[in-house]
Amino acid sequence: MLDYLVVGLGLAGISFCETLEKAGKTYHVVSDNSQQSSLVAGGMYNPVILKRFTLAWKANEQLDLAMPFYTDLEQKLGVELDYKLRVLRKFASIEEQNLWFEAADKPGLENFMSTRIQENQNPSLDAPYGFGEVLHTGRIDTAVLLASYTQYLQDKGNLTLHSFNFNHFKTFPDYISYKTIKAKQIVFCEGYGLKNNPFFQYLPLNGTKGELLTINAPDYKEENVIKSGVFTIPMGNDLYRVGATYKWKDKTNAPTKEAKSELLEKLKTFLKCDFEIVDHVAGIRPTVVDRRPLVGQHPEHKGLYVLNGFGSRGVMIAPYASGQLFNHIEKGANLDSEINIERFTKKYFPKKTLE
């Protein structure tokens, strides 16, 4: 009898497995790698929402947990994951500069927003009004993390690579079973795949398609993340990740010409050097109506849990949400009400709410 069965191995699954390991719990993972959002993510951790110059939800708490979490993973897996990068937000006008300074004075933001305008030194960039610098930022190499952690679990015999088949899943009062596996609890970390989960498909998981380009630009010579209409992230060897799009109707992982055109159009508003497209990827971000994660216990089946809905900030949210769920299950701690799926219980019991 295992302590946990974990379904899915994106950022949510990896974070929860790590939480289990540190607590000495036994577990097994079932994953088919069908959800690409963690794999194609930009991997940025950035505490400031750059459209509105506001602090991201619980940014301080999340960063405090995330930084040592990824450092521990680097040591454990023997890989480099955390690349410290400055994020520069391009100003479009004097008015935007003033809005930046106003925001930087607000409580909570003063530690993350530099009050010194960064003048443009890069001849390949069109940025006459300069940049605002976000502090305490960087990029987690999610592709290396996923590959390394998958190998780590395979070496331990803790991973089964196939699609979870609900025909072989049974719930009992004190445990669950899946094929030959028995566990006290099961945690679903399926990303957008949750839409096909018969136990949790009542949850309002929207799914937002995001597409990214990788370009080769030898003359760009930019070491910082530049954010304008799109962002450019330096990946080394003259390669830059360019993204991202947000589409709500298309739910496939297939790259599209429309998104490519949109990204290129926005990129060319500020990038002045030649470049070549070398890759184009797409994935469905697990996004939620109220922009908060989906964490908690099933309304009726007590051994079933969900860890999902991280949207575009999975790198920051995953360690925080995993710890919240673990402490809730093992220690009876209250879940943060903003992430607790109890906020959607009425969707599960629609008839009862009408009576």
Side-chain angles (χ1 to χ4, degrees):
M1 176 77 70
L2 296 171
D3 292 317
Y4 289 86
L5 180 61
V6 178
V7 182
L9 196 62
L11 285 168
I14 289 173
S15 297
F16 196 71
C17 289
E18 270 303 283
T19 306
L20 294 177
E21 287 225 340
K22 288 178 179 178
K25 299 295 181 181
T26 56
Y27 67 93
H28 192 83
V29 180
V30 176
S31 176
D32 63 0
N33 297 326
S34 64
Q35 299 308 311
Q36 299 289 304
S37 63
S38 295
L39 193 60
V40 305
M44 292 297 301
Y45 53 90
N46 165 23
V48 180
I49 297 171
L50 291 172
K51 270 187 181 179
R52 302 187 292 274
F53 302 160
T54 55
L55 193 65
W57 174 71
K58 292 195 180 292
N60 280 297
E61 291 173 62
Q62 291 170 11
L63 280 176
D64 286 347
L65 291 169
M67 293 303 91
F69 175 83
Y70 292 112
T71 298
D72 289 350
L73 273 175
E74 286 181 320
Q75 295 170 354
K76 175 176 181 169
L77 301 173
V79 294
E80 187 173 3
L81 299 172
D82 187 4
Y83 295 84
K84 303 297 184 187
L85 294 171
R86 298 164 74 210
V87 173
L88 302 182
R89 164 62 153 80
K90 186 176 90 75
F91 293 131
S93 63
I94 299 293
E95 288 76 17
E96 272 201 346
Q97 291 179 351
N98 293 332
L99 289 172
W100 179 272
F101 288 129
E102 285 177 26
D105 281 337
K106 293 178 182 175
L109 282 166
E110 69 272 11
N111 295 328
F112 298 118
M113 295 175 70
S114 170
T115 53
R116 187 168 68 88
I117 291 178
Q118 304 288 323
E119 292 187 10
N120 181 32
Q121 306 292 334
N122 190 335
S124 295
L125 278 171
D126 181 18
Y129 298 100
F131 307 91
E133 180 185 357
V134 186
L135 309 173
H136 310 296
T137 55
R139 177 179 73 88
I140 299 299
D141 193 328
T142 52
V144 168
L145 172 58
L146 286 165
S148 303
Y149 210 86
T150 297
Q151 190 61 55
Y152 170 76
L153 291 181
Q154 284 181 311
D155 292 345
K156 289 185 64 173
N158 281 19
L159 176 64
T160 299
L161 287 172
H162 71 222
S163 295
F164 190 87
N165 187 338
F166 283 93
N167 293 327
H168 298 287
F169 176 65
K170 294 179 182 176
T171 63
F172 299 93
D174 299 320
Y175 71 97
I176 60 91
S177 72
Y178 178 67
K179 296 187 175 181
T180 59
I181 299 170
K182 291 182 180 179
K184 295 173 188 172
Q185 280 97 202
I186 184 167
V187 179
F188 291 101
C189 309
E190 304 159 285
Y192 188 65
L194 191 74
K195 297 297 284 186
N196 299 318
N197 184 318
F199 294 94
F200 288 105
Q201 60 191 182
Y202 74 93
L203 292 170
L205 190 73
N206 287 345
T208 311
K209 184 170 184 173
E211 300 193 39
L212 296 165
L213 301 176
T214 302
I215 62 170
N216 179 265
D219 297 330
Y220 190 15
K221 306 298 182 195
E222 183 56 58
E223 296 178 354
N224 305 305
V225 176
I226 303 297
K227 175 69 172 78
S228 184
V230 290
F231 59 69
T232 63
I233 304 175
M235 309 292 286
N237 300 316
D238 297 326
L239 296 176
Y240 300 85
R241 190 67 66 80
V242 178
T245 58
Y246 290 81
K247 301 297 178 190
W248 285 267
K249 290 184 179 178
D250 182 2
K251 306 298 187 187
T252 70
N253 287 323
T256 63
K257 290 181 180 178
E258 292 78 13
K260 181 179 178 181
S261 297
E262 178 186 333
L263 291 171
L264 289 176
E265 186 178 325
K266 291 178 177 178
L267 178 64
K268 289 174 181 177
T269 62
F270 65 94
L271 184 64
K272 297 195 293 185
C273 63
D274 292 334
F275 62 88
E276 177 190 3
I277 299 170
V278 295
D279 197 16
H280 180 189
V281 293
I284 309 297
R285 306 177 191 89
T287 52
V288 187
V289 175
D290 60 4
R291 299 188 177 187
R292 295 291 179 264
L294 298 170
V295 184
Q297 186 180 57
H298 190 274
E300 288 189 299
H301 301 282
K302 300 310 176 191
L304 276 62
Y305 296 87
V306 65
L307 184 64
N308 206 315
F310 297 169
S312 59
R313 293 187 174 264
V315 161
M316 283 176 60
I317 292 174
Y320 169 80
S322 296
Q324 280 269 320
L325 181 59
F326 180 81
N327 290 334
H328 177 64
I329 298 171
E330 295 291 338
K331 302 174 185 177
N334 289 331
L335 280 172
D336 183 324
S337 60
E338 289 186 90
I339 68 175
N340 195 334
I341 59 170
E342 283 184 355
R343 67 194 193 274
F344 297 119
T345 299
K346 288 180 181 178
K347 291 183 178 295
Y348 187 76
F349 296 114
K351 290 180 182 177
K352 287 188 178 181
T353 57
L354 290 173
E355 289 171 1

